[in-house]
C-alpha cells in the first residue's frame, strides 16, 4: 500500500461532487445550445474550486506528500492547516506557509584608481562615454 493518501478528504470529495454537477449543467447547455446553461455550469465549476480551497484552508484538506497513517482517515482534520503547508499552492495563494527568505546581498562593481584615471572592473562604468582612458586595456 502506498504512503500517499492524496484526495481522500472532505475537501477533495466535495470539490469533485460540485464540479461534476457544474460539468453536467454545462454539458446539458451544450446539448440544448444554451449559452446561459453553459455559463451557469462554468460558474458552478468555479464555485466548486472555491469551495474546495476554502475547505482545504479550514483543515478538511490534506497537504501533498507522505503523512502518518493515523492522519489518513477522511474525517481527520489537518492540524497544520492554520499555519499553511510549505509546498501547497492553495496555502501560498492564501498567504500561508510562506518561508522567511532574506534578500541575498549583491556586491557592487569595484573601481580601481590608477595614474591615468579610473578603471571599472566587474561592470561597465556608468556614464563613461567614449573616454579613451577607461577603454584601454589594463596590464
Amino acid at each position: 500500500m502506498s504512503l500517499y493518501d492524496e484526495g481522500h478528504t472532505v475537501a477533495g470529495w466535495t470539490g469533485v461532487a460540485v464540479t461534476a454537477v457544474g460539468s453536467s449543467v454545462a454539458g446539458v447547455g451544450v446539448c440544448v445550445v444554451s449559452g446561459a446553461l453553459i455559463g451557469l455550469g462554468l460558474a458552478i465549476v468555479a464555485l466548486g474550486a472555491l469551495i474546495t480551497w476554502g475547505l482545504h484552508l479550514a483543515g478538511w484538506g490534506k497537504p501533498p506528500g507522505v503523512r502518518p497513517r493515523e492522519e489518513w482517515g477522511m474525517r481527520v482534520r489537518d492540524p497544520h492547516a492554520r499555519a499553511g503547508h510549505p509546498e501547497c499552492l492553495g496555502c501560498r495563494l492564501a498567504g500561508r506557509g510562506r518561508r522567511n527568505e532574506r534578500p541575498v546581498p549583491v556586491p557592487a562593481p569595484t573601481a580601481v584608481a590608477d595614474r591615468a584615471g579610473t578603471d571599472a572592473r566587474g561592470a561597465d562604468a556608468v556614464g563613461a562615454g567614449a573616454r579613451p582612458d577607461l577603454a584601454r586595456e589594463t596590464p
Side-chain angles (χ1 to χ4, degrees):
M1 178 153 205
S2 174
L3 294 176
Y4 293 91
D5 186 41
E6 295 185 26
H8 302 285
T9 63
V10 172
W13 283 106
T14 304
V16 166
V18 172
T19 54
V21 169
S23 298
S24 299
V25 170
V28 169
V30 168
C31 291
V32 252
V33 191
S34 171
L37 279 179
I38 294 172
L40 178 64
L42 294 177
I44 293 172
V45 168
L47 181 67
L50 291 175
I51 289 171
T52 304
W53 186 33
L55 286 172
H56 172 76
L57 293 176
W60 290 110
K62 304 281 182 12
V66 180
R67 285 184 302 282
R69 189 129 172 98
E70 55 272 1
E71 292 182 11
W72 282 17
M74 196 164 143
R75 294 185 180 136
V76 176
R77 286 185 77 172
D78 184 17
H80 310 291
R82 191 167 290 271
H85 309 111
E87 299 298 323
C88 177
L89 176 63
C91 289
R92 284 186 296 187
L93 287 174
R96 297 179 180 179
R98 294 189 185 264
R99 297 183 189 127
N100 292 331
E101 296 180 10
R102 295 183 180 166
V104 177
V106 178
T110 58
V112 179
D114 59 3
R115 293 180 290 155
T118 304
D119 184 21
R121 296 187 185 162
D124 294 332
V126 177
R131 289 182 47 191
D133 59 336
L134 287 178
R136 66 180 172 80
E137 301 247 345
T138 55

